[in-house]
Amino acid sequence: MKIDQAKIIIRPRSTYEAIDLGVALWRQHALLLIRSSLTLLIPTYLILLAIFWNYPVFIFIIMWWLKPLLDRLPLHTLSVALFAHAPNASASLKYWFKNFRHHLINDLLLRRLSPMRSYLMPIYQLERSDRKSAKARRKYLSAKGYEGNTLIFVFMALEALLTLGVLFFMDLMIPVEITHHSNFMPTFELTFFADEMLFFRFMPIAYLLVLSVTETLYASIGFSLYINRRIISEGWDLELGFKCRIY
């Protein structure tokens, strides 16, 4: 990693500035991040659909639980794009499959519910440290506290609202059922919410679409917070300044 080749200005930022940087990185590579995520999410959904056809709520729960695996795709893409050219979707997927087993159990069990998940993931996925070194790095980067704990709750609320919004939009695209009463006044029924099974069958599809946006954004913000902490803790701006003076 050559910090003098970074595509961002290397300087210490506040938490909110780092979050804004993460949003800017996501916007710059949004199409690539969403496309690569959907390339992974759609086959996963189809496999789960074949297994849990009569239990669609399980599809939703499993997709939610597997989110740390999805985070690895945007994390790799952005880490490369920050210092070089952004990899295409096929290259990112190839990297994802190659490193699928790396810290798999810990990501899905020990660190699954951690509010610092997106912030700490670069330690395990990018630095590729062993257990002892990773523990020391985690302690080192968290020494001054982590101010992004509320992010996970913000994104949980955002996912819920967007998923319901997508479901309502899908419902509007389906012709409504019109029933006539004795007074000849038509009544309209929402298709999804009138049929509980239909609602649960379409909910994973809506959630899949939402995840391709929210989870890539969440990973991007976590990565920018991680980079900002390293800039502050390791003095990247000072190192870059000394290099500029020498050359």
Side-chain angles (χ1 to χ4, degrees), residues 130-149:
D130 56 34
R131 181 177 299 180
K132 186 176 180 180
S133 299
K135 184 177 181 180
R137 289 289 293 165
R138 174 174 178 167
K139 184 178 180 181
Y140 173 71
L141 292 178
S142 304
K144 294 184 179 181
Y146 171 64
E147 299 176 2
N149 287 321

Side-chain angles (χ1 to χ4, degrees), residues 12 18 27 38 72 87 92-93 146 162 176 232 247:
R27 289 177 59 187
L38 286 175
R72 297 179 179 188
S92 296
L93 286 169
Y146 171 64
L162 289 178
V176 294
I232 296 172
Y247 292 110

Side-chain angles (χ1 to χ4, degrees), residues 17 27 32 34 42 53 59-60 115 122-123 145 153 156 159-161 165 168 177 187 198 211 219 231:
E17 286 179 315
R27 289 177 59 187
L32 173 61
I34 293 172
I42 292 174
W53 174 257
I59 301 176
F60 172 81
I123 297 176
F153 302 107
M156 285 174 61
E159 284 179 6
L161 290 174
F168 274 113
E177 298 175 0
T187 61
L198 188 62
L211 275 185
I231 291 173

Side-chain angles (χ1 to χ4, degrees), residues 158-206:
L158 184 62
E159 284 179 6
L161 290 174
L162 289 178
T163 301
L164 289 175
V166 172
L167 284 171
F168 274 113
F169 178 76
M170 289 180 174
D171 194 271
L172 291 175
M173 295 297 102
I174 297 178
V176 294
E177 298 175 0
I178 303 177
T179 58
H180 294 276
H181 296 286
S182 57
N183 58 2
F184 299 103
M185 292 296 292
T187 61
F188 299 91
E189 298 178 359
L190 288 174
T191 308
F192 285 157
F193 297 96
D195 188 332
E196 182 178 349
M197 181 56 68
L198 188 62
F199 170 78
F200 283 113
R201 287 201 186 282
F202 276 87
M203 184 172 66
I205 300 176

Side-chain angles (χ1 to χ4, degrees), residues 15-58:
T15 299
Y16 296 107
E17 286 179 315
I19 291 174
D20 186 60
L21 174 62
V23 175
L25 288 173
W26 180 85
R27 289 177 59 187
Q28 184 178 359
H29 304 284
L31 291 179
L32 173 61
L33 296 175
I34 293 172
R35 184 169 66 250
S36 59
S37 296
L38 286 175
T39 305
L40 184 64
L41 282 169
I42 292 174
T44 303
Y45 166 74
L46 293 176
I47 293 172
L48 293 175
L49 182 65
I51 299 174
F52 299 104
W53 174 257
N54 293 321
Y55 305 96
V57 68
F58 287 172

Side-chain angles (χ1 to χ4, degrees), residues 14-16 18-19 21-22 118-119 146-148 151 220-230:
S14 66
T15 299
Y16 296 107
I19 291 174
L21 174 62
S118 65
Y119 173 68
Y146 171 64
E147 299 176 2
L151 275 178
S220 178
I221 292 175
F223 174 65
S224 67
L225 288 168
Y226 161 82
I227 289 294
N228 189 56
R229 177 59 66 190
R230 288 197 60 178

